Amino acid sequence: MTGDDLHRLLDAALETFVSSADELRDLDAATGDGDLGVTVRGGVAAAQAALSELEPGASPADVVRAVASAIARSNPATFSTLSASALLAAAKAIDGIDDLGRSDLLRFGRAAADTIALRGKATLGDKTVLDALVPSLDAAEAAASDESAFEAAVGAARQGVDTTAALVARRGRAAWIGERGRGHPDAGATAYLRFLEAIGSAWSGPIDG
C-alpha cells in the first residue's frame, strides 16, 4: 500500500467511522465522562482537513504523521493524546517504506500498541483499547495469508471488545466507577473495532481507484 493508497483509504474510512460517534459517546457515558463522541468527531474533521492538504506522492509515514498531528491539535482529551502518540510512533516504525506489506503494517500496529501501553500504563485485561488492538495484531500475524489477515484482525478485535464487557476497568476514568462498569464494553476498544470495520468497508473501493 503506497502513501496515495493509504490517503484514499483513510479518506473513505473516516467518512464511515464518524457515524459511530453517537454509539461511542453513549458507551463512554456508561463508563466514563461521555466525551468520546465529541473527540471522535473533532479528530475525524481535523484528520480529513490534514489529508486534504497533502500533496500526491506522500509516503505512508508522512500520511500517518499528518493525521496524528491533526488529531493531537483537535482535542486535549486523553483518547486524542494517546491516539496521536501511538500514530506518531507507528509512523516512525515505517519510515522509508514506500509500499506497505503485511509485515510493515504489523510493525506499525505493534509500535502503536507499545506506545499506548507505555503512555497509558496499561496492559491486557485492564479494559482498554489494548484488549482489542493486541489480539487483532496477533490474529493478523498468525493468518495463513495476506488476504485473510485483515478479516482475522477484525474478528479478533470484535472478540476482544466482547471480552471487555465482563471486565472492571483498571485504567482511566472508567476505573473510577469500579464494578458499575461491568457489563459495558470498553469505549476505546469499540472505537478501534469501528475504525477497523470502516477500513474494511472502504477497502475495495478507494485503493483500487
Side-chain angles (χ1 to χ4, degrees), residues 114-140:
D114 289 346
T115 300
I116 291 170
L118 180 64
R119 295 206 58 172
K121 298 180 175 62
T123 188
L124 286 173
D126 282 346
K127 193 168 183 169
T128 71
V129 64
L130 292 177
D131 291 309
L133 174 55
V134 173
S136 75
L137 295 171
D138 291 344

Side-chain angles (χ1 to χ4, degrees), residues 48-201:
Q48 288 173 322
L51 288 170
S52 72
E53 295 174 0
L54 277 176
E55 295 291 335
S59 71
D62 286 340
V63 172
V64 175
R65 270 192 286 267
V67 169
S69 297
I71 291 172
R73 295 191 300 268
S74 70
N75 194 303
T78 301
F79 193 78
S80 290
T81 301
L82 276 177
S83 297
S85 297
L87 288 172
L88 287 171
K92 187 175 181 180
I94 57 169
D95 253 333
I97 301 173
D98 294 325
D99 196 356
L100 302 177
R102 179 168 34 156
S103 62
D104 305 312
L105 292 169
L106 285 168
R107 187 165 59 254
F108 177 98
R110 297 291 186 194
D114 289 346
T115 300
I116 291 170
L118 180 64
R119 295 206 58 172
K121 298 180 175 62
T123 188
L124 286 173
D126 282 346
K127 193 168 183 169
T128 71
V129 64
L130 292 177
D131 291 309
L133 174 55
V134 173
S136 75
L137 295 171
D138 291 344
E141 187 169 15
S145 67
D146 292 349
E147 291 73 21
S148 63
F150 183 77
E151 184 178 350
V154 174
R158 189 171 292 120
Q159 290 179 349
V161 168
D162 290 344
T163 297
T164 65
L167 300 175
V168 174
R170 296 197 291 254
R171 291 291 181 268
R173 287 184 180 270
W176 299 358
I177 67 172
E179 285 288 340
R180 288 187 291 125
R182 199 187 295 275
H184 301 283
D186 179 67
T190 304
Y192 171 69
L193 171 61
R194 295 293 177 256
F195 184 69
L196 280 188
E197 291 171 340
I199 289 286
S201 295

